[in-house]
Amino acid sequence: MDISLFDYDLPQELIAQSPADQRDHSRLLVVNKKEKTYEDKMFYDIVDYLHEGDVLVRNNTKVIPSRLLGFKETGAHCELLLLNESKEEKDVWDCLARPGKAIRPGTKIIFGDGKLVATCIARKEDGIKSFKFDYDGVFMEILEELGHMPLPPYIKKQNENNDRYQTVYAKEEGSAAAPTAGFHFTDETFEHLKAKGVEILDITLTIGLGTFKPVSETDVDKHIMHSEEYEITQDVADKLNKAKDEHRRIIAVGTTSVRTLEANMTKYGKITATRESTDIFIKPGYKWKI
């Protein structure tokens, strides 16, 4: 399947550079596949399209301000994007680095007048480098002070309010990017949905390199997805299986929720409580499991 089949021309001037004043006042396109019709709505109208008994599955991952801007000891500017912390060694992180070729094992990068120092200790595949971080205090607190939100490349301006690059239900820290499909939900929207009888369930998929790595292959089938860790609790698994047995609609908020459910269902045949990794790649021709 040639990658050119997925080309889509989106004019630069049509890409919003800042969020709407109110989350649920973004526009909503409603596609009726059966009737082949389109409707322009506001996001708060989504309540009208969900019904009693529906299950809404959302990814409650929380973005860390993982973009760090610093200097080498020579004074040259450098940038790191933290992807994930090593499970074997504390304060060792896999990162994307810029400029990549200029950063080799042994290179030190200084952030915040020395409050945080990163030393490159290894080169890995896909342009990833491992860094050991040295600091005094609590790492996440320092990151909150010095780090920036890792915005997509088509957003040119950093928003002053980092909370707008989180969903209102963000809970489990660790992602290098946000599950953006959930940005437009508000607490009020969820209250309306619950009052209508919609069940809301949380799963967690920690978003990593897969979001940032471009498809470099001409043939999409040759592209290898970077694995990401996910978790489904027993309570959520039980509720999802019950909904499926009762033929109720299960509606995933965004691609990360879809990947989590489909990876789990593909492996186990039913939704199963687990914490593990997935590199599932969903493309045309895929048969939906849940």
Side-chain angles (χ1 to χ4, degrees):
M1 197 178 300
D2 194 279
I3 193 172
S4 64
L5 293 169
F6 298 88
D7 285 351
Y8 176 76
D9 180 34
L10 179 57
Q12 191 73 28
E13 66 272 15
L14 295 183
I15 303 175
Q17 292 299 308
S18 57
D21 290 338
Q22 293 174 262
R23 286 178 183 264
D24 59 357
H25 280 56
S26 297
R27 293 166 69 191
L28 178 71
L29 179 65
V30 180
V31 181
N32 187 320
K33 290 199 292 183
K34 186 177 179 182
E35 303 294 333
K36 296 185 178 177
T37 58
Y38 302 87
E39 291 180 278
D40 267 316
K41 296 285 185 177
M42 300 299 287
F43 190 81
Y44 50 73
D45 293 318
I46 199 167
V47 176
D48 299 333
Y49 296 92
L50 298 175
H51 313 303
E52 182 178 357
D54 287 349
V55 180
L56 193 69
V57 183
R58 59 191 191 180
N59 181 7
N60 67 356
T61 192
K62 189 172 186 179
V63 189
I64 58 173
S66 55
R67 184 171 173 244
L68 288 167
L69 306 176
F71 301 88
K72 290 202 297 182
E73 291 172 303
T74 60
H77 288 264
C78 291
E79 179 180 334
L80 293 186
L81 179 67
L82 279 63
L83 296 173
N84 51 270
E85 187 175 14
S86 168
K87 290 182 171 62
E88 289 77 35
E89 190 175 356
K90 189 176 185 295
D91 295 325
V92 171
W93 286 75
D94 285 344
C95 304
L96 292 177
R98 187 185 294 172
K101 290 181 180 178
I103 299 172
R104 303 177 178 85
T107 301
K108 289 185 184 293
I109 305 176
I110 300 157
F111 307 96
D113 296 326
K115 188 173 285 188
L116 185 66
V117 178
T119 304
C120 182
I121 58 175
R123 283 178 169 175
K124 303 173 87 170
E125 293 180 349
D126 295 325
I128 296 173
K129 294 180 172 67
S130 289
F131 287 84
K132 172 72 175 177
F133 284 85
D134 293 294
Y135 56 91
D136 290 321
V138 179
F139 182 73
M140 282 299 170
E141 289 181 0
I142 294 171
L143 204 59
E144 286 288 343
E145 179 186 344
L146 301 179
H148 302 271
M149 283 299 182
L151 300 180
Y154 47 82
I155 302 296
K156 306 302 180 186
K157 182 183 176 185
Q158 189 85 29
N159 198 285
E160 292 179 5
N161 183 3
N162 275 350
D163 287 343
R164 290 307 301 269
Y165 197 62
Q166 302 278 14
T167 61
V168 297
Y169 49 87
K171 181 181 177 184
E172 302 296 334
E173 276 189 339
S175 276
T180 53
F183 277 174
H184 316 294
F185 285 97
T186 63
D187 291 326
E188 186 179 29
T189 309
F190 288 123
E191 289 307 314
H192 288 320
L193 290 170
K194 288 176 185 175
K196 200 170 181 179
V198 175
E199 189 172 17
I200 297 165
L201 300 178
D202 284 349
I203 51 88
T204 306
L205 180 132
T206 304
I207 303 169
L209 179 62
T211 291
F212 299 95
K213 184 184 176 185
V215 179
S216 56
E217 299 283 354
T218 304
D219 182 352
V220 171
D221 294 322
K222 293 181 180 178
H223 177 68
I224 298 172
M225 290 290 289
H226 195 269
S227 66
E228 296 171 319
E229 192 169 271
Y230 76 89
E231 181 175 20
I232 299 175
T233 65
Q234 188 63 58
D235 178 59
V236 168
D238 291 342
K239 288 175 177 175
L240 284 168
N241 287 322
K242 185 172 187 288
K244 188 163 176 63
D245 289 343
E246 294 172 354
H247 304 290
R248 290 188 276 134
R249 297 197 303 176
I250 296 172
I251 299 152
V253 179
T255 56
T256 60
S257 299
V258 169
R259 289 187 69 214
T260 303
L261 296 178
E262 290 296 309
N264 189 270
M265 196 74 170
T266 298
K267 183 173 180 179
Y268 297 106
K270 67 174 186 176
I271 296 297
T272 302
T274 184
R275 184 183 184 94
E276 59 187 80
S277 295
T278 177
D279 60 357
I280 190 172
F281 184 22
I282 298 172
K283 50 188 180 292
Y286 179 85
K287 302 295 184 187
W288 300 102
K289 310 296 188 299
I290 187 164

